[in-house]
Amino acid sequence: MIDRSESHEEVSDVQEAPEEPVEFDKGDLEQSQLEAKIMAGKIKELIEEGALVFNAKTNSSRPLMYRDIVILLRSMTWAPQIMEEFKQQGIPIYANLSTGYFEATEVAIMLSLLRVIDNPYQDIPLASVLRSPIVGLNEEELARLRIQNKGGSFWEAVESYTQSRTPDKIDSLQEKTARFTQALKSWRRMARQSSLSDLIWQLYRDTKFYDFAGGLPGGKQRQANLRALYDRARQYEETSFRGLFRFLRFIERMIERGDDLGAARALGEQEDVVRMMTIHSSKGLEFPVVFVAGLSRQFNQMDIRKSYLIDKDFGFAAKFVDPEKRISYPSLPQIAFKRKKKMEMLAEEMRVLYVALTRAKEKLFLVASVKDADKKLQQWSEAGSHSEWLLKDYERAAATSYMDWVGFSLIRHRDSADVRNQVGFNSELALAEIMEHPSRWKITKINAKDIKIAEQAEEAEQDDFMKVVEEGGHMPVESPFAEKVKQVLSWEYEYSDASIHRSKQSVSEMKRHREIIDEHSGTDLLRKFKKTILNRPRFMQEKTLTPAERGTAFHMVMQHIDLADPPTIPAIHELLSSMIEKELLTVEQTEIIDPQLIVQFFSSELGQRIQRAKWVKREIPFTMSLPAKEVYLDWQDENEAIFVQGVIDCVFEDENGIVLVDYKSDTIQGRFKNGFEQVKPILEERYKLQINLYTKALEKIWKRTVHEKYLFFFDGANLLKIE
């Protein structure tokens, strides 16, 4: 219970509700802010202390989460104030609101900017934009602008001040106004030439306001509101209406009618957030921790105070009007109707209160703020000394808020001993069964003045911190979490190498990563890896084929060639035609195939051994695991395993054992004086790693020894044996 007795002048708790709702109630606003601060502080305390909640599914306890907490309100009138306070406290909160969009600060600023773009001769929107983070002027700078031109509009004052600068003397204010006026010209031009949604998104980019809003408390919600403005502008343009002017008139008409839009949903109700809802919408639900706020708010009796009343049973009742004396006063039927309506209203409010009190599974917090706590306690003590369970009829009927019923009841419980001692309550008259009831309650009275003093001290401390920051000094902060913060900031991921290396690597990639350019040889055979497009569009392939595409074509032919008979040139031509029909090769790829090279290979000793072999396997895929240090030169870790994959061109077995053959399409002829003999050491060094990996894979998977290893180069039909 929050005691506001020592706060500044406020509205009385027992005042009658006005017949028409007021737009701004100072006392009501203060109550909502105070209760929001109390609830936010208690939630942070529960989370930081690691409060536990019971999980019935696992029959165990777990730490309390934000999603376990719900705030119940009779109506959502206080919801915007509570949400804003929770954002300031860094507590995520979700509420399904149907209003409050146009009142959001970030939306109001962007609408003001759009109004200025539409017509800069609007003083209030212009001042709003200049004062906002978009331009960043303070009150003194705004006054200096106004002094520059007192007779004209504020925009004329801005232009006059900007144009008054001289090259040798430009102050910071002139720099700000100059940047803004220049940007405004660009935005006004875009407003005439582009769509409204494109303009809004460009404003977000140019002003960086979208990013700025994301850094504020509740930044996720603020950014969602700004995105919603963009989406709604785009939806508006899908209609027959167009243009910034019409869109602003549409928004203004909505505001004038009192219409509003719900704030954009940045958080879902299933996320780890505190949920806020009405008591009615919580029917049938249960939550581990429940806060019921606004218990001291007056019951809504506007329907009872109307000049006429209608009842489904008794009909119509109105005031008696004396036309001669020109006065009116309540009639007996109206008084009876009011009494009946009030009893029905109180009965409904009792049912609502019952729903609120039965939603909590583990912890229930009842929050109320009263003008004079001692006076309230005295009232409860006088009415709560009777010895019956049920409160007297007149006590229940006289209640003006939930807190009256709750206070009358709890004052008689044993856990209210401290409160009873303050007001001299005679507990001997109370019913012993109520006094010793096993339920547990803790009544805490908090002085609103103490909250304000603490808030002022926090603001003063924050101002001191900001002053130190502006002066470039060190922050005089001492925190029990200093060591933990240092540990978190200096933490390094133990397996950082794993985050920059692939866990699966191909043999070809390994070979290319280890290639080194030989600057002295003058050859580009050992060039660094450059990624190529394997499957280029046909119109590009018609010009020329890349080395990778040429190699793919040669490998495809060697895979499908028939080994039953010695290959001949006509047989190879027939094979190429067949592969074109089956769409295994394109016409362009077959044109670079030289059948003579293939015949020459199979005429060699190795080619004849393949034809006589016991068995031949072509294009054999494999996958094996290797230590990281064998795959990457800069990752010397024996415990980390890397998957290595590859495809072996050809393996056969004859009387000499298992032989591995790999086909290469490197360009060799015509590039070296001494021909193939000159480049043999380079080629052997280049492909040694690849062949060794193929050999290791075969021996590891097949459990057999590879006796011979060969490289066959199509360019020149050269054969290289790898030792």
Side-chain angles (χ1 to χ4, degrees), residues 304-351:
I304 301 175
R305 295 192 175 93
K306 289 183 178 179
S307 58
Y308 63 89
L309 297 173
I310 299 176
D311 185 82
K312 63 180 180 179
D313 297 323
F314 302 115
F316 178 84
K319 291 183 178 181
F320 177 80
V321 179
D322 189 331
E324 296 181 358
K325 297 181 179 180
R326 296 184 179 182
I327 60 174
S328 65
Y329 49 87
S331 63
L332 288 177
Q334 187 184 32
I335 295 173
F337 275 35
K338 281 188 176 182
R339 178 67 178 175
K340 182 175 182 292
K341 292 284 187 183
K342 182 177 181 180
M343 292 300 103
E344 292 176 350
M345 180 271 294
L346 291 175
E348 173 62 19
E349 294 298 339
M350 281 188 179
R351 289 190 287 270

Side-chain angles (χ1 to χ4, degrees), residues 44-57:
K44 293 174 71 174
E45 179 184 334
L46 292 172
I47 295 294
E48 292 173 359
E49 291 179 352
L52 300 177
V53 295
F54 180 74
N55 190 335
K57 294 182 179 180

Side-chain angles (χ1 to χ4, degrees), residues 69-73 75-84 86-87 91-101 221 225 261-278 281:
I69 305 171
V70 68
I71 297 173
L72 299 182
L73 301 172
S75 65
M76 300 298 279
T77 310
W78 284 5
Q81 290 80 14
I82 295 177
M83 293 185 71
E84 188 64 28
F86 273 52
K87 290 176 184 178
I91 299 175
I93 187 169
Y94 169 85
N96 188 8
L97 300 178
S98 59
T99 59
Y101 181 74
Q221 175 66 57
N225 287 339
L261 299 172
R265 292 191 180 185
L267 297 171
E269 60 180 3
Q270 298 302 321
E271 297 185 43
D272 186 22
V273 295
V274 176
R275 283 168 289 178
M276 182 164 51
M277 62 181 69
T278 63
S281 62

Side-chain angles (χ1 to χ4, degrees), residues 601 604-611 652 659 661 710 712 719:
F601 168 72
S604 65
E605 180 183 355
L606 181 63
Q608 294 178 3
R609 288 177 62 185
I610 293 176
Q611 297 177 67
F652 69 89
V659 181
V661 182
Y710 293 93
F712 177 73
L719 189 65

